[in-house]
Amino acid sequence: MSSTTSSAAPSASGKPRERPLHELLSRDMVDIYVGPDNTHWILHEKLLCHRSKFFREIFYPSKPSSSSKNSAYGLPDENDEPFRLFVGWLYAATIPQPSEEKELATMFDLYLMAEKWEIRALTVDVLEAVRKYYHDSDTWPGLRRVQYIYANTEPESPMRQLLVSCVARMLITGDSMPAHWERALRKNGQLAVDIILCVQKWRIEPESVPDTRHGSMGEIVDEAEVKKEERAEEEANGEMENGHEEEGDETVVKNEADE
């Protein structure tokens, strides 16, 4: 176990000292089984445990439950593709930069692995990749991506902070609130609060923020009346569309009965 101790020896900051790759490629290997199909990976034990506190506790437990040493571990709830990216990062310390929005799904799953397995360096790398994607593509996080991260992370998650900051800027600088975001914020109070807290951190100059106390109440009433008319028109259009759908359904049923 002497090699075990040295591989995870902490630095003065309490974090494992970074070591060259060749020092971490020992002869000891571990078997990792991923996903419902138990995809089998054979990884270098010392390297895996040096990178991850989670795996150190599995293969080098501080209080071993028995004299036998663990040499295999299953991850049935993980997906193969993000784990493949993890293995690539484990040995090369790099991850591919996403070039399409659909590639973010795997990237977010990789991020959740990094958080769960307590791998700070991987957490930072994925955050940088996601940030760079939105910057280079001049786009904003989609609602489903934000909801996915909120459903699978804790309130202090750095990925939450990144996505919320992006969304807050999108909403503040936009001409209007997208309907799907408005519905989401009405349902998810925590997301709405996080966006407000994020905007507060920006310390926006008071002069650039409208002050209703100095405005015309007539303008507020006019705006309210316009919105009321628009809502009534939308509801009327919605009822008409539903009516046409029902008529169409009745026609189909009638034709089927005639046949």
Side-chain angles (χ1 to χ4, degrees):
M1 293 291 289
S2 59
S3 62
T4 298
T5 303
S6 61
S7 69
S11 63
S13 64
K15 300 175 183 176
R17 289 191 295 268
E18 192 54 48
R19 299 176 62 177
L21 181 61
H22 69 272
E23 293 184 8
L24 301 172
L25 301 183
S26 63
R27 294 183 179 179
D28 295 329
M29 311 295 286
V30 292
D31 299 295
I32 305 295
Y33 297 90
V34 180
D37 295 330
N38 282 329
T39 304
H40 184 200
W41 293 84
I42 303 175
L43 305 177
H44 287 82
E45 180 184 71
K46 185 183 290 186
L47 174 64
L48 183 63
C49 295
H50 179 76
R51 297 279 191 250
S52 167
K53 179 180 178 181
F54 175 86
F55 286 109
R56 281 201 299 276
E57 287 298 319
I58 291 170
F59 296 110
Y60 304 146
S62 55
K63 295 181 180 179
S65 57
S66 64
S67 57
S68 61
K69 183 177 181 298
N70 292 330
S71 60
Y73 190 74
L75 298 166
D77 297 328
E78 304 297 350
N79 294 320
D80 287 327
E81 183 58 20
F83 192 82
R84 184 186 68 80
L85 294 185
F86 165 70
V87 173
W89 178 89
L90 186 66
Y91 286 90
T94 60
I95 56 176
Q97 177 61 40
S99 58
E100 298 181 67
E101 203 282 336
K102 63 182 181 181
E103 295 174 0
L104 292 179
T106 300
M107 199 60 58
F108 284 133
D109 283 339
L110 179 61
Y111 177 84
L112 296 178
M113 288 178 175
E115 276 202 353
K116 187 187 308 179
W117 300 340
E118 301 179 77
I119 310 177
R120 185 182 186 279
L122 180 57
T123 299
V124 173
D125 286 351
V126 178
L127 284 167
E128 283 292 345
V130 172
R131 178 202 63 76
K132 189 173 188 301
Y133 170 80
Y134 287 126
H135 175 272
D136 293 352
S137 63
D138 193 22
T139 58
W140 304 105
L143 176 58
R144 62 174 178 156
R145 303 297 186 200
V146 177
Q147 290 176 327
Y148 182 68
I149 289 298
Y150 262 71
N152 292 281
T153 60
E154 298 297 324
E156 62 276 7
S157 169
M159 185 61 80
R160 279 199 190 191
Q161 297 178 41
L162 170 62
L163 298 185
V164 165
S165 182
C166 290
V167 171
R169 180 175 176 80
M170 175 190 71
L171 297 178
I172 293 298
T173 59
D175 294 330
S176 61
M177 170 82 73
H180 63 290
W181 274 106
E182 181 176 350
R183 290 192 296 268
L185 295 179
R186 289 181 185 277
K187 293 180 180 179
N188 190 335
Q190 186 58 56
L191 176 57
V193 169
D194 288 347
I195 289 175
I196 294 173
L197 292 175
C198 177
V199 173
Q200 284 184 326
K201 290 180 182 178
W202 296 345
R203 296 290 185 265
I204 300 175
E205 291 294 331
E207 292 76 13
S208 62
V209 181
D211 189 345
T212 306
R213 299 171 301 175
H214 299 161
S216 168
M217 293 301 97
E219 293 178 359
I220 294 180
V221 173
D222 291 342
E223 183 178 353
E225 289 177 347
V226 170
K227 289 183 177 179
K228 185 176 180 180
E229 291 176 358
E230 291 175 348
R231 179 164 55 85
E233 184 176 349
E234 290 175 359
E235 292 175 353
N237 291 335
E239 290 176 359
M240 290 179 62
E241 291 176 0
N242 291 335
H244 288 313
E245 290 177 359
E246 291 174 1
E247 290 175 3
D249 293 341
E250 290 174 358
T251 301
V252 171
V253 172
K254 185 177 184 298
N255 290 339
E256 289 177 349
D258 292 340
E259 293 175 359

